[in-house]
Each structure stands twice: as structure tokens, then as C-alpha cells.
Amino acid sequence: MNTSELVEYQQKVEAYIKEHKMTDLFENLTRLLVLSRPQDPMTFLVDVLENRRVQRLILVAGVVATTRQEIVVSLANLFNYKVITIEDHFKSHWVDDDQVNEFIHSELKKTEKHFRGVIISGYPNNIKQAYYLQSLGIIQERFFYLESDLDFCRQYYEQISQSQEEVTKALTRDRLNKKDLEYIYGSYMDIFNTSKRTKEDIIENIKQIIRLRDRKFPPLRFPRVAIIRPPGLKERATQLTQIFSKRYGLVQLITFDMIQQQIQNKGALGPLIYNTLQKEEEIPNDIMNSIVYTEVLSTEARTKGWVLEGFPKNEAQLKFLEAQHVNLFVVLNEDEDVLINKSKQLKIDPVTKIKYEKVPLNNKPLLDRLQNFQIHNEQLLKQRITRYQAFVKLIEQKFSERVQVFKLEKDSTENIIRVTDVFLNNPKIYN
């Protein structure tokens, strides 16, 4: 078989697998083989396929049971899922893994067929429980891990422990267990911090992921995606960046995080960036280009592809990014009056000069500091929005086939994902 025949054969195989929606199945089976390493791989795979449940399985672990259970029950009621809760059966906080595993296996067998899926609350908590679930050949759809800040966890364990030594051991155990679970589940594991996000926000985010069946979607190659957004409005763009990163296996590059990292590192650029932000001025193009260039050239970004949020913001930055061969520009835009109204609703931290679209209810010191963002010159705001919309037109003219523009308010996340799926499987954008 020569090279051209090999390429044609591979394309036919990929098309067949995609047509019959078998990509996730093959990925799950491969992962099960690697984790379980059975003596007889063929028999193992046959057993897995014969016993494969048609019902979806969602795992939710971490944090105290009350918070987790409120989230789980809300999701179960919405999707008609059965709930299996560890704490309903085991009242003690220190339970033998073998007992927990047997309980889970028994409950899964008893699941009635009228349920569309199952949510297991409080499981798995460690590597032994995770491996047991894998050994049964049961494939989970998603694993949601709910964590809390260290101080909250410490206070919780102080209430149920006999000594500070027990508290320290529990905190260390949780940290190591989380690390093991991240290794096992990889991109199938989503982590939410209940100390920094509201319960309602977490439920809404998980709902979107379940509805989208948000597994890694394999594009043709390792794409480079830039998400362009209106000035000051980063909430939606950041959300899309996180979804793209998990769905397509891309390295996540958020300009806000990169800038904050430069400030925290206290290097040569840190003080200059900090002073610029304090004056509410734009960071110079050469500095932003340098920061972005370092990130997109990292080994991980070059081998996996990347999704870049909040950059470029002007023509000079666009010219720089053009040399990085962006495959797709996802542009968020809206009518002028909508963007003006959203800008007027921003809150600002007078200490850091950081603007917020959503009020962080779980951070009381920050909440107490936040003020309404004062727009002293509405005409200046209109000029910024006009420049942004002219910039969007420039991108469309310059890159045409590699640009997709969405309405910030009107286009749903589901629609953006659906369109992006199609774009990333278009060979033209990789030429």
C-alpha cells in the first residue's frame, strides 16, 4: 500500500467511525485496556461490550455531602437520572474501600431501566475505587469533582476529627487522592471550586456539559483557535475557552490569567504591567505580543494545539498573530446598544482595577470592595465599541473562511459548539 492509498484508507476509516458515532467508544475502550491491562484483551473487550449499559453514568465526588447532594439532586431531577449516594448507606466518614465498591456494584445492578442515566454521589474518592469501577468495564460519561478552599476543608475536618494530626492527615489524603483521580480520568474530569462559584452557577455549567455530551471531540489536526471579544466583556469568552479546551484537548490560554501571572512572578514586566492596569490603560502591544508568543511556542501548545482568549485586540496584535497560523477565529459581537448596556453593568475592584461581569458572591472581601464601574465619558465608550466592530470587520475581510462571528447574547453555547465542530473538521482551515 503506497502513501496515497494509505491516506485514502485512513480517511475512509475516520469517516466511517465518525458517521456511526463510535469515536468516544473507541477512546473509552482503549483507555480501559490501558488501565486494566487484562491477560486476555480480546475476551475483556467482548465482556465490556456485552455488558455495556445504555444508561449514562455521571460521577460526582468531593466536598461535604450536603453541598454535593443539593447539586446532584437538582441535576437528577432535570435529566431523570437515578441517584446513588454513598452517605445514604455509610454514615461513618471512614469507610473500607471494598465495602463501598461492593455497595456501588450492587446499586448499579438494581438500576431501573426507565431512568435515562445514573449519578453516583460521593464516588470515587481515591485510586482504588476508581480502578474498581474501571475493572467492571463500566464507562462513565463524565466525572465532576467539587473542591473547596483549604480553610473550609480544614474547618470541616476539625468538626469530625479527634485531633489536629487527624485533620492534617485528612487534608493530605484529599490532596493526593485528587491528584490520582486527575491522572486516571484526565479530560473526562471537570473540577469546580464551591468556595469561589455559586451552587447555581455550578449546576448551570454542569447542565451545559451534560447536554453537549462534552467529551473530547477529535478535530482533523491540532488546531489553533483565537476567541475575540468586546473590550471589558470576558465572561462568555472565558467560558467558551474552557469548553473548547476540554472538548478538543487544546491548551487553554487566557490573556487575563497570563497577565496576572506576570504580575505575580514579579519579573521585569510585572511592575510595568501592574502600573499600566492601575492607570486603566492598554498594555503595550510589544509586551502583549511577547507574553502570547512565549505561551503559543510552549511544547504542549505546539503539540496539542491551543485556544487563545482575549487576543488580539487591535491591528498590530492581529498582524503578529497572523504569523502563528491561526486556524479559526471565533468572534463575539453584538449591537452597539447591547455592548454599551453591558459595559455600564460592570463592577470594578478599586484596588486591582479588575472589572467583573458577575459578582463573585463567595469572596466576601472582594464583594465588599466592588463598586459600579463609572463611565465618565460615554462618547469615549462608544468610540471603543465602534473601533472594536471595525476590528471585527477587518478580521472577516482578512481571514474570511477562518472566521465565525456569533452574537454575544443571542447565540447559545450549544450552537457555537456545533458550528465549531464543523469548522475544525474542514480541511481548508489547515491549509
Side-chain angles (χ1 to χ4, degrees):
M1 187 179 291
N2 59 36
T3 303
S4 61
E5 290 174 333
L6 183 61
V7 170
E8 183 182 358
Y9 171 76
Q10 185 175 350
Q11 289 174 342
K12 287 181 178 179
V13 171
E14 290 176 355
Y16 177 84
I17 291 174
K18 182 180 177 182
E19 179 186 355
H20 293 278
K21 298 180 175 60
M22 298 171 66
T23 306
D24 290 324
L25 175 61
F26 275 106
E27 186 175 330
N28 276 319
L29 291 175
T30 302
R31 185 163 50 86
L32 280 173
L33 275 177
V34 172
L35 290 170
S36 304
R37 298 183 182 180
Q39 292 275 337
D40 186 348
M42 295 297 290
T43 302
F44 175 81
L45 290 175
V46 170
D47 289 341
V48 169
L49 291 170
E50 286 181 347
N51 295 299
R52 187 169 180 261
R53 304 185 65 88
V54 295
Q55 292 164 314
R56 300 170 72 184
L57 175 62
I58 306 294
L59 308 176
V60 184
V63 305
V64 296
T66 50
T67 304
R68 174 174 14 93
Q69 197 63 8
E70 289 175 1
I71 293 173
V72 165
V73 169
S74 176
L75 295 169
N77 290 338
L78 178 68
F79 293 106
N80 186 31
Y81 284 10
K82 176 181 178 178
V83 175
I84 300 174
T85 306
I86 295 296
E87 287 82 8
D88 287 348
H89 188 78
F90 300 99
K91 302 304 179 184
S92 171
H93 292 278
W94 320 106
V95 185
D96 179 71
D97 287 329
D98 291 334
Q99 294 178 354
V100 175
N101 289 337
E102 290 174 8
F103 167 72
I104 291 297
H105 194 190
S106 172
E107 290 298 307
L108 286 173
K109 285 182 177 178
K110 292 187 293 185
T111 299
E112 299 87 344
K113 292 295 182 183
H114 68 270
F115 286 109
R116 293 178 56 217
V118 181
I119 302 181
I120 304 181
S121 177
Y123 182 93
N125 280 314
N126 56 48
I127 195 169
K128 185 174 181 180
Q129 294 177 5
Y131 275 140
Y132 176 78
L133 201 59
Q134 301 280 6
S135 70
L136 295 177
I138 297 174
I139 304 174
Q140 84 290 332
E141 174 104 0
R142 206 76 195 180
F143 179 27
F144 299 106
Y145 188 89
L146 308 177
E147 65 178 3
S148 294
D149 288 346
L150 182 61
D151 290 341
F152 178 89
C153 295
R154 187 182 299 279
Q155 292 173 10
Y156 169 71
Y157 282 123
E158 285 174 348
Q159 295 174 3
I160 64 173
S161 302
Q162 302 296 321
S163 65
Q164 281 299 316
E165 183 180 1
E166 283 189 3
V167 172
T168 302
K169 285 182 178 179
L171 292 172
T172 302
R173 179 204 62 206
D174 285 354
R175 177 174 57 82
L176 295 176
N177 284 343
K178 178 191 170 188
K179 186 176 180 181
D180 287 338
L181 292 171
E182 286 182 284
Y183 170 75
I184 292 174
Y185 290 103
S187 63
Y188 285 80
M189 179 174 171
D190 297 272
I191 301 174
F192 297 95
N193 191 313
T194 59
S195 299
K196 295 179 179 178
R197 301 178 64 175
T198 64
K199 179 181 65 180
E200 292 73 20
D201 186 32
I202 293 173
I203 291 172
E204 184 60 33
N205 203 167
I206 292 177
K207 277 165 51 180
Q208 289 181 0
I209 292 173
I210 292 177
R211 280 174 173 157
L212 287 168
R213 292 180 173 263
D214 184 35
R215 305 175 186 171
K216 288 177 65 177
F217 182 95
L220 290 178
R221 304 179 195 173
F222 301 113
R224 301 171 178 186
V225 181
I227 299 180
I228 316 295
R229 59 169 171 80
L233 304 177
K234 62 178 183 290
E235 185 76 28
R236 187 79 189 279
T238 300
Q239 179 195 51
L240 287 172
T241 303
Q242 293 167 345
I243 292 174
F244 284 8
S245 176
K246 288 187 177 296
R247 187 172 182 81
Y248 309 121
L250 307 177
V251 174
Q252 176 179 296
L253 304 175
I254 297 177
T255 52
F256 176 81
D257 293 343
M258 292 188 282
I259 290 169
Q260 293 302 311
Q261 189 64 46
Q262 289 290 331
I263 294 173
Q264 293 170 11
N265 287 345
K266 298 180 180 179
L269 294 178
L272 176 58
I273 293 174
Y274 178 80
N275 291 331
T276 301
L277 296 178
Q278 286 293 306
K279 297 175 186 176
E280 297 186 40
E281 297 176 353
E282 293 290 337
I283 298 172
N285 290 329
D286 57 343
I287 292 178
M288 280 306 306
N289 291 347
S290 174
I291 293 172
V292 171
Y293 188 64
T294 301
E295 295 295 332
V296 300
L297 277 189
S298 70
T299 302
E300 187 179 22
R302 283 188 288 118
T303 55
K304 290 184 176 181
W306 44 260
V307 51
L308 173 62
E309 180 276 336
F311 186 95
K313 292 184 176 180
N314 54 50
E315 190 171 355
Q317 294 179 1
L318 180 63
K319 186 176 180 180
F320 158 78
L321 195 63
E322 186 177 357
Q324 311 311 315
H325 307 294
V326 176
N327 303 116
L328 175 62
F329 289 89
V330 174
V331 181
L332 302 177
N333 200 6
E334 262 296 352
D335 296 335
E336 182 184 279
D337 57 337
V338 175
L339 294 180
I340 290 175
N341 185 52
K342 288 184 71 67
S343 297
K344 288 180 177 179
Q345 295 174 11
L346 291 172
K347 302 288 185 181
I348 188 169
D349 180 352
V351 176
T352 63
K353 303 298 182 183
I354 295 173
K355 301 181 186 71
Y356 294 86
E357 291 173 70
K358 286 187 177 180
V359 178
L361 299 176
N362 291 326
N363 189 334
K364 192 173 186 308
L366 174 59
L367 189 60
D368 293 338
R369 290 199 310 267
L370 286 181
Q371 302 172 355
N372 290 328
F373 178 52
Q374 298 296 322
I375 299 175
H376 302 291
N377 189 334
E378 188 163 328
Q379 187 60 36
L380 185 62
L381 174 61
K382 288 184 178 180
Q383 290 175 2
R384 290 181 64 194
I385 292 173
T386 300
R387 283 199 301 270
Y388 174 74
Q389 292 181 330
F391 182 53
V392 169
K393 290 182 180 178
L394 174 66
I395 294 174
E396 289 184 277
Q397 292 169 0
K398 200 173 183 66
F399 298 98
S400 58
E401 288 185 343
R402 302 185 183 193
V403 181
Q404 184 65 33
V405 181
F406 298 98
K407 289 287 189 179
L408 187 64
E409 291 282 277
K410 296 178 182 177
D411 277 303
S412 67
T413 299
E414 288 86 350
N415 181 52
I416 296 175
I417 295 293
R418 186 164 53 249
V419 173
T420 304
D421 282 352
V422 175
F423 263 72
L424 294 185
N425 275 275
N426 179 3
K428 291 183 179 180
I429 70 171
Y430 298 96
N431 294 333

